Amino acid sequence: HAPCTPPVESMLEGAGEGAKLARVLTTLDLISLGVGSCVGTGMYVVSGLVAKEMAGPGVIVSFIIAAVASILSGVCYAEFGVRVPKTTGSAYTYSYVTVGEFVAFFIGWNLILEYLIGTAAGASALSSMFDSLANHTISHWMINSTYRHLFFYPGKGEESYPDLLALVIAVIVTIIVAMGVKNSVGLNNVLNVINLAVWIFIMIAGLFFVKGDNWSEGQFLPFGWPGVSIVPSVSHCVLKGAATCFYAFIGFDIIATTGEEAKSPNTSIPYAITASLVTCLTAYVSVSIILTLMVPYDAIDTESPLMEMFVARGFYAAKFIVAIGSVAGLTVSLLGSLFPMPRVIYAMAGDGLLFRFLSHVSSYTETPVVACIVSGFLAALLSLLVSLRDLIEMMSIGTLLAYTLVSVCVLLLRYQPERSLFSRDKKSAILKKLIGPRYYTMRIHLGLPGKMDRPTVATGHTVTTCVLLLFVLMFIFCSFIIFGADYIYEQSWWAVLLVVLMILLIVVLVFVILQQPENPKKLPYMAPCLPFVPAFAMLVNIYLMLKLSTVTWIRFAVWCFVGLLIYFGYGMWNSTLEISAREEALHQSTYQRYDVDVDPFSVDDGFSYANESENYQDWGPSEDKGFSYQQMAGAKESHRTSSKPKSKGKHKQNSEALIANDELDYSPE
């Protein structure tokens, strides 16, 4: 089979073939997309649920902790966004150009699951909202309708019904997304303005009804810190507080799918991810403050907390104003789920891993219209037949897996050698300014790489091994503290010893990674505090994945099995890499036939077949160029050495002197 990791350049070249996506999105548009995809359910649903059942007014602290955990993954996404800026497909594309085709397909397939379920859940939530505003007449009509018996519901109760309204909503939003990115983003911006106006109304109107007594006498943390922390309560081992709030921040990865449609992806993507997370945190914390000060935490309505809090204080007109914001927020969340799904499908189909017709881009709308229609149809069908509760259970597993693998990829990339190992780099100056001229001396005493150290193939392999061991060890560690929490709580000596040993091993692996030299390549945005930020992001995401239910994991396994059938039955044999490998093999066999009758003694001494075949390789398809930058550089260097053996030492000495002078003359500040 073909090599699994394509060069970045060839991938970007391939992305330019055929009709292109419209590059029309500004930084403000990307922030609007990120905020809209998160705020809907987080502000109107999650805040009340966590406040009543898990943390009380301490939901404020829960949101802050969850935001920190989300930002850890967000900065890794932001770095990948500037590493591969002119592409679409989010974590799929990032993995494709870094860790290989198979892993990329696995990530992309699960991103499709995330967006598919998110779209169906958004349509079902909107349907429930309209049904609630209509005093449940829609659901009663569907339950009593003869159309209900046309659908088969295994294991469903008498109250279950096919949600035709959710299907209609999903179809309408699909049409809007397929009409063009500018139209869908324009609607997204309008809905966000409505949502912002309702948020301002909630803040101002709520100030007239706040009561400080709701936070007094130990009411701020009625369940204690276990209800706030993402560490499980040892007595229940249930996911509470900040872990639930973490899901309210899921959705910022939509920004990473817009690389081909952003005007300035190098700067827009990292800024938009950071700004959207901060904006969401501000909205969640402020709404939670008003909610818990207006209504005692045990009297909060979990289904419509923001609407019912005004009803509880006698302000009935405010209920309908908040309802407008609720509809706008849920609609923009639905749009945020459907918008990236066809773009991931488009990227995978363009690489041949899914059926090629799905990568068709309409010259009129400049969108992947076929992928839009297919993904919208599947989401509509899912929202029609599956209940909202079942959809929510499956929503997060694909996202958390993508977040984990993005963090892994950032760790791998930052410590790998590249074609140019002598790029100038301005490292973070904060620590240098604090310590002064002793900064590099301190690094040497700690055994950390010096200023002139550069990554090699050997150090890259060391980091790869450590990262894989770190992933496995974190998985075992999280599994033990979740499923063996009772033994830890009872302070069994073997359980405590095992936890301490695993923590020490994790620390040792992180320190070994820290000792390896980083790639000095400068990017417009780079994740700070490596390797600690990606490592902690991996730990949090793995922990949250393991907290999901067994049924969710079974459904996830079925979805992955279907994906593997598609990959091994179609994608592996029709991918761009496989086709390129076949063409390269055909070229090589053709050259061998032409070279059979050539007299080797008639060739000049300075000529070699190795040099000619090297030139032939440059005529090959772009996908096959540069699979290993270091190998190409090494081959060219060896050719120069064989051609001019007498000047080898002189050239090497001059090159090293030039590099050393360049590094010494350059000020990192």
Side-chain angles (χ1 to χ4, degrees):
H1 187 52
C4 62
T5 307
V8 176
E9 287 87 345
S10 64
M11 184 172 181
L12 298 182
E13 290 172 5
E17 301 175 357
K20 296 181 180 179
L21 301 178
R23 194 173 289 278
V24 296
L25 300 181
T26 64
T27 303
L28 188 61
D29 290 331
L30 297 185
I31 294 174
S32 179
L33 281 172
V35 171
S37 63
C38 296
V39 163
T41 54
M43 189 166 75
Y44 293 101
V45 178
V46 175
S47 58
L49 176 66
V50 175
K52 181 174 183 178
E53 299 183 357
M54 302 177 188
V59 64
I60 300 165
V61 183
S62 296
F63 272 124
I64 294 174
I65 296 174
V68 172
S70 301
I71 289 173
L72 294 175
S73 297
V75 295
C76 296
Y77 255 96
E79 176 171 328
F80 259 25
V82 299
R83 279 187 180 274
V84 197
K86 298 181 180 179
T87 54
T88 189
S90 183
Y92 159 74
T93 300
Y94 305 154
S95 303
Y96 188 85
V97 299
T98 55
V99 295
E101 178 185 277
F102 176 74
V103 175
F105 176 87
F106 187 73
I107 293 176
W109 186 247
N110 288 291
L111 282 176
I112 294 174
L113 173 67
E114 172 205 345
Y115 298 136
L116 181 66
I117 294 177
T119 303
S124 297
L126 262 179
S127 174
S128 299
M129 176 65 66
F130 286 125
D131 184 45
S132 177
L133 292 175
N135 294 323
H136 303 286
T137 55
I138 300 175
S139 58
H140 290 158
W141 178 79
M142 282 304 307
I143 291 174
N144 298 323
S145 173
T146 55
Y147 294 104
R148 179 181 185 273
H149 302 290
L150 296 177
F151 300 90
F152 175 64
Y153 282 91
K156 300 293 182 180
E158 290 298 324
E159 295 301 316
S160 300
Y161 61 92
D163 199 343
L164 290 177
L165 181 58
L167 182 143
V168 172
I169 292 172
V171 169
I172 293 174
V173 175
T174 299
I175 294 173
I176 294 172
V177 171
M179 286 176 60
V181 62
K182 201 62 182 175
N183 295 325
S184 54
V185 171
L187 175 62
N188 183 86
N189 293 340
V190 170
L191 294 174
N192 271 333
V193 169
I194 296 174
N195 208 11
L196 176 63
V198 172
W199 173 73
I200 294 175
F201 170 79
I202 292 173
M203 293 298 99
I204 297 175
L207 289 176
F208 293 96
F209 300 100
V210 296
K211 293 178 61 177
D213 294 340
N214 292 333
W215 284 14
S216 62
E217 299 178 357
Q219 294 299 305
F220 187 79
L221 295 175
F223 301 100
W225 279 101
V228 172
S229 174
I230 57 175
V231 178
S233 172
V234 292
S235 58
H236 317 224
C237 277
V238 295
L239 188 61
K240 304 196 313 186
T244 303
C245 292
F246 179 84
Y247 300 137
F249 291 92
I250 288 178
F252 68 83
D253 53 327
I254 180 180
I255 299 171
T257 67
T258 60
E260 284 190 46
E261 296 161 294
K263 291 181 178 179
S264 303
N266 268 331
T267 55
S268 296
I269 289 177
Y271 291 157
I273 288 176
T274 305
S276 62
L277 287 174
V278 172
T279 304
C280 291
L281 174 62
T282 304
Y284 295 154
V285 170
S286 58
V287 165
S288 299
I289 291 174
I290 296 296
L291 174 62
T292 54
L293 283 175
M294 282 184 62
V295 184
Y297 76 92
D298 54 354
I300 293 175
D301 183 87
T302 56
E303 294 185 358
S304 304
L306 301 188
M307 288 194 296
E308 296 301 327
M309 72 178 182
F310 285 106
V311 174
R313 303 308 298 270
F315 192 4
Y316 296 98
K319 174 181 179 179
F320 298 99
I321 298 176
V322 177
I324 294 173
S326 232
V327 171
L330 291 174
T331 302
V332 80
S333 292
L334 170 60
L335 190 64
S337 294
L338 184 57
F339 182 86
M341 179 162 51
R343 282 149 182 82
V344 175
I345 295 175
Y346 157 80
M348 296 179 68
D351 295 326
L353 299 181
L354 293 179
F355 305 106
R356 293 271 183 183
F357 73 90
L358 294 172
S359 64
H360 173 71
V361 176
S362 170
S363 58
Y364 176 72
T365 62
E366 295 180 306
T367 57
V369 62
V370 178
C372 285
I373 294 173
V374 172
S375 58
F377 171 77
L378 292 176
L381 189 64
L382 201 61
S383 65
L384 174 71
L385 300 177
V386 183
S387 67
L388 179 60
R389 182 181 297 274
D390 293 335
L391 290 171
I392 291 175
E393 290 180 357
M394 281 286 292
M395 193 181 303
S396 301
I397 191 166
T399 310
L400 291 170
L401 178 64
Y403 289 1
T404 303
L405 292 177
V406 164
S407 302
V408 169
C409 292
V410 167
L411 269 179
L412 293 176
L413 283 179
R414 288 282 284 274
Y415 293 95
Q416 302 299 324
E418 287 205 21
R419 172 167 44 184
S420 176
L421 295 182
F422 302 102
S423 307
R424 292 180 176 181
D425 176 32
K426 288 186 179 181
K427 297 183 179 179
S428 175
I430 298 176
L431 191 58
K432 297 179 186 177
K433 290 181 179 179
L434 292 175
I435 300 178
R438 298 181 181 275
Y439 172 77
Y440 290 105
T441 305
M442 182 198 70
R443 291 181 62 89
I444 293 174
H445 288 320
L446 292 177
L448 303 180
K451 180 179 179 181
M452 299 295 293
D453 291 336
R454 296 294 182 265
T456 62
V457 175
T459 61
H461 288 165
T462 300
V463 172
T464 302
T465 303
C466 289
V467 170
L468 293 178
L469 292 175
L470 191 64
F471 179 85
V472 174
L473 191 58
M474 285 181 174
F475 187 88
I476 297 173
F477 174 74
C478 293
S479 300
F480 186 72
I481 65 173
I482 290 173
F483 302 109
D486 291 336
Y487 298 105
I488 301 174
Y489 176 69
E490 295 171 359
Q491 297 184 353
S492 300
W493 67 269
W494 62 270
V496 174
L497 179 62
L498 188 59
V499 169
V500 171
L501 287 177
M502 287 190 288
I503 292 176
L504 289 177
L505 286 175
I506 290 174
V507 171
V508 168
L509 289 174
V510 171
F511 186 74
V512 171
I513 295 174
L514 187 63
Q515 287 182 311
Q516 309 308 313
E518 287 187 40
N519 192 314
K521 182 178 180 180
K522 178 65 178 175
L523 297 173
Y525 180 87
M526 303 178 75
C529 302
L530 252 71
F532 303 107
V533 168
F536 191 68
M538 289 168 55
L539 183 64
V540 172
N541 295 329
I542 291 172
Y543 170 80
L544 293 175
M545 286 180 65
L546 291 173
K547 293 300 297 185
L548 297 172
S549 66
T550 305
V551 175
T552 299
W553 277 97
I554 293 174
R555 293 170 178 167
F556 176 70
V558 172
W559 175 262
C560 292
F561 178 74
V562 174
L564 291 176
L565 290 179
I566 294 176
Y567 177 76
F568 289 110
Y570 176 85
M572 187 174 72
W573 311 105
N574 295 276
S575 69
T576 302
L577 293 180
E578 176 67 21
I579 294 174
S580 299
R582 293 174 186 169
E583 292 177 353
E584 179 68 17
L586 180 62
H587 284 309
Q588 291 177 353
S589 63
T590 302
Y591 301 149
Q592 289 175 0
R593 287 201 304 271
Y594 282 120
D595 292 343
V596 166
D597 299 327
V598 177
D599 184 4
F601 295 100
S602 64
V603 184
D604 293 338
D605 293 337
F607 184 84
S608 68
Y609 285 108
N611 183 26
E612 183 173 329
S613 87
E614 176 183 325
N615 294 334
Y616 283 147
Q617 288 179 356
D618 288 340
W619 298 352
S622 62
E623 291 83 353
D624 293 305
K625 298 178 184 177
F627 275 98
S628 173
Y629 299 142
Q630 290 73 39
Q631 291 176 2
M632 291 181 64
K636 292 180 181 178
E637 183 65 30
S638 64
H639 170 61
R640 288 196 296 268
T641 303
S642 62
S643 300
K644 299 181 179 181
K646 295 181 181 180
S647 61
K648 173 183 177 182
K650 181 179 179 181
H651 282 187
K652 181 177 180 181
Q653 182 179 4
N654 291 340
S655 175
E656 291 179 351
L658 178 62
I659 292 164
N661 292 334
D662 183 59
E663 290 289 342
L664 292 174
D665 292 339
Y666 173 64
S667 172
E669 305 299 332

